Amino acid sequence: DNGNGIIPGPPVEPIYGRTYLPKKFKMAVTVPGDNSVDLYINDVGAVVIMEPDGKTVKGFNIVVGGGMGRTHRKEETFARAADHLGFVKEADFFECLKAIIAVQRDHGNREVRSSARLKYLVHTLGVDGFRALVEKYLGQKMEPWVPLPEWKYLDWMGWHEQGDGKLMLGINVEQGRVADSPGLRVKSCLRALVDNYGVDLLLTPSQSIVLRNIQPAQKYDVEAVLREHGIKLIDEVDAITRKSIACPAFPLCGLAMTEAERVQPQINARLLAVLRMMGMGSDDFVTRTTGCPNGCARPYMAEIAFVGSGPNAYQLWLGGSPNQAERTAVATSIFKMKFEDLEATVEPIFAMWRSQRNSPTEALGDFCHRVGVPVVEEFMAAYEPGAWKGMAPAFPPPPAVETPTATVGVASDLLVKIEEEASARGLDAPSLLDMIVREALEG
């Protein structure tokens, strides 16, 4: 400011003072059960708690100290899931946020740039010590964390009512790349939908897009526009692709050590091919890839992640929560997995999961977390390629359906596809058809 009034008021910012915040300070707000925002990766997160009437805001559960950034071979840097700080009433919410910022301002590490994030302060003090400082600035005690329902990984893909009589539609955009290419014209499609139907666009934390404010009468017209531009509806997208994200990496990021966004479709296809080969085509998991360890695609929360560690090489991480809640994954000793070794690396992991899980629905991340990554690595070291064929699945696929009392004609080419898909899922063709029809009729 030249002193002539361009910047009004005192020259020192009233909360930040002269220190400001670290290079990153991330926040997210959600509602109970909905972890579409990856709540636990944020410096500060808030969960809206309602009164029993469902209309009045009671207050907020607060989490603190999440963050993904780290550096290979520097153990003083690490990924961290946020801790539960406590509950504050609605009237105290913003004062509590200011108190958290004040604690970081006055007690955070400003000497070492790589240690400036709030997560390191929470880790150093412990969440109880951090809470004590917050309460000092707040001038009152925080209340205990309000119990919540189990978190769910939600991406809001597909059709949903948005609460005002209109619809919203989530469309999967692989790795968030909005562009036109032969057979897939995402950019042109979005422009046509905005111009012709007045939809609003929301970017999602899973790198996809939600189209909002669609009139119910326009539903099938919107679907037709999507198909015209080569965009699949979510029931046409495999679950591995749907649950995957990647950072831009090459050629856009100067920190990248290897590819991420441009190879994620290949990784997804190869992972799915291994699952199908092993009769696990109905299984899926959250997977993420980054070109370096800075964690922009949140790989350390994934059930299985590939973190760039050199040219065409990745560090393998396992054991994140399928709901992206309350814990990070764990680094394996595999620091430079070559891209071409992907199948050989994951086959023993899937074989162990297939043969030792404790329920048909135990997720890959939960399984690796339960048994421990060192045990998984011991299994991998002793595994011989193809050995899964001699390992009985812990939970065999459901028995075949009874012999039908009537027949329905199916085109021969379609029957071949049904038989292939059934085999990949560990089923026979009649069982798969029975499942598909029942799901269609029952909603």
Side-chain angles (χ1 to χ4, degrees), residues 13-17 19-22 25 44 94-110 118 121 125 130 133-139:
E13 207 285 332
I15 297 179
Y16 298 161
T19 53
Y20 293 95
L21 291 175
F25 197 90
V44 181
F94 287 106
E95 283 302 309
C96 181
L97 294 184
K98 288 189 285 184
I100 291 169
I101 292 172
V103 172
Q104 169 65 11
R105 178 195 66 202
D106 296 343
H107 300 273
N109 188 329
R110 297 313 174 108
L118 181 67
L121 181 59
L125 296 176
F130 186 87
L133 284 174
V134 171
E135 291 172 342
K136 178 180 177 181
Y137 286 88
L138 183 59

Side-chain angles (χ1 to χ4, degrees), residues 176-192:
R177 180 61 58 188
V178 177
D180 284 356
S181 60
L184 181 61
R185 295 177 294 140
V186 179
K187 186 176 181 180
S188 296
C189 180
L190 295 177
R191 179 59 186 264

Side-chain angles (χ1 to χ4, degrees), residues 9 12 17 53 73 96 109 158 160 219 221 257 283 319 331 357-358 407 425 434:
V12 178
D53 63 11
R73 311 289 195 191
C96 181
N109 188 329
H160 303 273
K219 177 177 180 179
D221 293 335
M257 301 176 181
D283 289 299
R357 54 181 155 192
N358 64 10
T407 59
R425 294 175 180 237
D434 182 79

Side-chain angles (χ1 to χ4, degrees), residues 188-367:
S188 296
C189 180
L190 295 177
R191 179 59 186 264
L193 290 171
V194 171
D195 287 347
N196 298 323
Y197 299 96
V199 302
D200 293 318
L201 308 178
L202 288 181
L203 305 181
T204 77
S206 57
Q207 297 184 330
S208 291
I209 293 176
V210 174
L211 312 174
R212 297 192 71 247
N213 297 321
I214 302 171
Q215 298 291 346
Q218 298 172 337
K219 177 177 180 179
Y220 297 109
D221 293 335
V222 168
E223 288 189 356
V225 173
L226 292 171
R227 295 186 188 282
E228 178 185 344
H229 289 82
I231 297 177
K232 298 176 181 179
L233 296 176
I234 197 60
D235 59 358
E236 302 171 280
V237 178
D238 70 83
I240 300 294
T241 296
R242 178 175 178 173
K243 292 185 175 182
S244 70
I245 62 175
C247 71
F250 291 152
L252 300 175
C253 179
L255 299 175
M257 301 176 181
T258 190
E259 295 280 1
E261 176 194 334
R262 296 193 296 191
V263 298
Q264 189 66 55
Q266 298 177 46
I267 291 174
N268 294 340
R270 292 166 67 183
L271 291 173
L272 183 57
V274 175
L275 288 173
R276 293 168 64 90
M277 175 189 72
M278 300 173 69
M280 302 172 68
S282 294
D283 289 299
D284 60 71
F285 40 76
V286 176
T287 183
R288 294 171 177 169
T289 304
T290 57
C292 81
N294 286 290
C296 295
R298 313 190 299 278
Y300 310 117
M301 301 300 286
E303 296 180 78
I304 181 169
F306 308 96
V307 178
S309 56
N312 295 315
Y314 301 85
Q315 184 182 40
L316 178 68
W317 286 66
L318 295 171
S321 164
N323 300 325
Q324 307 298 278
E326 303 184 32
R327 71 170 188 261
T328 64
V330 176
T332 70
S333 64
I334 301 174
F335 184 66
K336 286 190 176 290
M337 182 201 81
K338 291 298 183 183
F339 186 65
E340 59 267 26
D341 293 337
L342 175 66
E343 289 85 352
T345 301
V346 300
E347 182 184 315
I349 298 170
F350 295 167
M352 186 180 184
W353 177 34
R354 174 179 180 267
S355 61
Q356 297 185 24
R357 54 181 155 192
N358 64 10
S359 77
T361 58
E362 185 177 28
L364 174 63
D366 287 342
F367 171 77

Side-chain angles (χ1 to χ4, degrees), residues 354-418:
R354 174 179 180 267
S355 61
Q356 297 185 24
R357 54 181 155 192
N358 64 10
S359 77
T361 58
E362 185 177 28
L364 174 63
D366 287 342
F367 171 77
C368 293
H369 177 71
R370 175 174 63 83
V371 303
V373 167
V375 176
V376 174
E377 291 200 63
E378 289 179 10
F379 184 94
M380 294 172 70
Y383 183 84
E384 294 293 334
W388 64 270
K389 298 175 184 177
M391 301 176 183
F395 296 89
V401 297
E402 297 179 3
T403 303
T405 56
T407 59
V408 177
V410 177
S412 58
D413 58 336
L414 179 58
L415 181 59
V416 170
K417 293 181 180 179
I418 292 172

Side-chain angles (χ1 to χ4, degrees), residues 7 44 48 151 162 166 231 257 262 265 273 385 408 431 438:
I7 299 177
V44 181
V48 182
W151 290 108
Q162 63 180 37
K166 297 180 182 179
I231 297 177
M257 301 176 181
R262 296 193 296 191
V408 177
S431 296
R438 289 181 187 277

